[in-house]
Amino acid sequence: MKAQLEKIYSDAQSDIAKSTSINDLDEVRAKYLSRKGEFNEIKKNLKNLSDEDKRTVGALANEITKNLELALKAKHDEFYQTELNAKLQKERIDISLPGQFTPRGKVHPLTATTNEIVSILQSLGFSVVKNENSPEVETEYFNFDMLNIPSDHPARDVQDTFFTKLAPNVVLRSQTSGAQIHVMEEQKPPIRVISPGRVYRNENINARKNNFFHQIEGLYVDKNITFGDLKGVLNEFIRIYFGASRPTRFRSSFFPFTEPSAEVDVQCIMCGGKGCKTCSGTGWLEILGAGMVDPNVLKGVGIDPEVYTGFAFGMGVERLAMLKYAIDDIRLFFNNDVRFLKQF
Ligand code: DAH
């Protein structure tokens, strides 16, 4: 039996020596050391031996098994290391290769302009209204009625409103001024809010007009608010947005929801005030409408005009962006031509 063991041992050793992979080693292990392997077959016969032989043969069998395990493990480690090295070599990363260029998007110029205007007005004490107080699909009640624009008022036509078939009196808002009503119906003075957003008008599209554009509405209602406060806030806004060197003027105007009303112009950026196509020869460009909140509007929302006064303003975001960056066609904002967009 000893001789049998020695024979299997040397067979196993030569099988290990012939192995060229971890797979081969697994096969060797199965052949000799598994439950059905050759050693186990022999061990089964141990019971037929004398006690003396059991001990010596058993000890030999154990030693051989141990040696084989060690030999297998040593070979296994060797193969593992070689296979790992080969894999690492294959997957090696060349850190000196130039990286892959990932193009980065940019903030749209209108978003950037809106953010800038909003942050200037925030620095002057205004906060942005909740989204639900500034819906784009609006009722005539908010877009017109409560802003002192009765149904037969020509202003409804002036603004070329888009009416919808969703329900009677539902429109795409033609101005952000409706946000004033939403806020005043919900909140008592002091109120100092702004509301940026998109508005829609049924216009013929050209270099100066699109059928949707963006406005930022402002409203300040409290005790003792005067036209002087309005001028102070707007002049400060314009000074920060355009820089101190750009002349501005307040011009008397009319809006149904403000009394008195004004329009604010800045000197034409294209011609520096000499008069050109962009400013229709006047040297000035209108950037916003404003005024003292009409007492009728305050009354409508249950604010006593004898106690409170307020001012409101609405500015066009495209207009302000075009003036600052000398853009001469409003349609450029919406064509999404990367060559235009990436300049900002
Ligand atoms: N809603 C006006 C428009 O779209 C702009 C405007 C004028 C807003 C005067 C105001 C305001 O808040 O006081 O033409």
Side-chain angles (χ1 to χ4, degrees), residues 159 174-175 177 180 201 215 217-218 255 257-258 289-291 312-314:
Q159 294 200 343
S174 60
Q175 50 186 354
S177 302
Q180 293 184 31
R201 291 189 194 176
Q215 292 184 329
E217 191 77 18
F255 297 101
F257 37 91
T258 46
F313 58 87

Side-chain angles (χ1 to χ4, degrees), residues 47 65 70 90 148 282 304 333 343:
K47 58 179 184 292
T65 326
L70 285 175
K90 204 172 94 199
N148 204 28
T282 62
D304 185 351
F333 289 118
Q343 294 175 42

Side-chain angles (χ1 to χ4, degrees), residues 53-231:
D53 284 350
K54 250 185 221 163
R55 224 174 293 128
T56 49
V57 176
L60 179 66
N62 282 344
E63 197 191 319
I64 290 176
T65 326
K66 209 176 99 199
N67 286 346
L68 279 180
E69 285 290 2
L70 285 175
L72 280 169
K73 166 135 186 11
K75 257 303 202 229
H76 180 277
D77 289 352
E78 190 188 314
F79 289 149
Y80 177 77
Q81 202 53 51
T82 335
E83 282 173 24
L84 184 67
N85 283 345
K87 191 163 171 236
L88 287 178
Q89 192 58 36
K90 204 172 94 199
E91 292 174 2
R92 206 175 122 184
I93 293 166
D94 182 352
I95 56 166
S96 69
L97 281 175
Q100 244 178 36
F101 176 69
T102 318
R104 265 266 211 123
K106 283 189 147 193
V107 174
H108 191 280
L110 283 181
T111 309
T113 305
T114 305
N115 291 346
E116 185 185 356
I117 296 170
V118 165
S119 84
I120 295 173
L121 291 168
Q122 282 172 330
S123 78
L124 296 175
F126 290 82
S127 33
V128 177
V129 303
K130 295 182 291 187
N131 275 344
E132 55 265 39
N133 281 337
S134 185
E136 288 179 27
V137 180
E138 186 59 289
T139 56
E140 291 189 60
Y141 172 88
F142 289 103
N143 197 69
F144 294 124
D145 301 344
M146 295 300 281
L147 289 165
N148 204 28
I149 311 172
S151 33
D152 57 353
H153 199 286
R156 297 202 182 197
D157 299 331
V158 167
Q159 294 200 343
D160 296 309
T161 312
F162 278 116
F163 293 87
T164 75
K165 291 178 178 162
L166 294 169
N169 306 324
V170 174
V171 299
L172 297 185
R173 67 173 171 192
S174 60
Q175 50 186 354
T176 46
S177 302
Q180 293 184 31
I181 306 301
H182 283 282
V183 172
M184 287 192 287
E185 283 193 346
E186 192 179 286
Q187 198 182 317
K188 293 287 146 235
I191 292 169
R192 197 166 7 165
V193 292
I194 48 176
S195 176
R198 182 173 290 185
V199 301
Y200 300 83
R201 291 189 194 176
N202 191 5
E203 308 266 18
N204 289 323
I205 298 172
N206 58 39
R208 300 177 56 149
K209 285 180 171 170
N210 195 45
N211 51 13
F212 65 86
F213 57 98
H214 299 81
Q215 292 184 329
I216 295 178
E217 191 77 18
L219 175 70
Y220 190 175
V221 182
D222 202 351
K223 289 178 178 156
N224 303 318
I225 302 295
T226 67
F227 199 90
D229 297 316
L230 169 60
K231 279 193 87 169

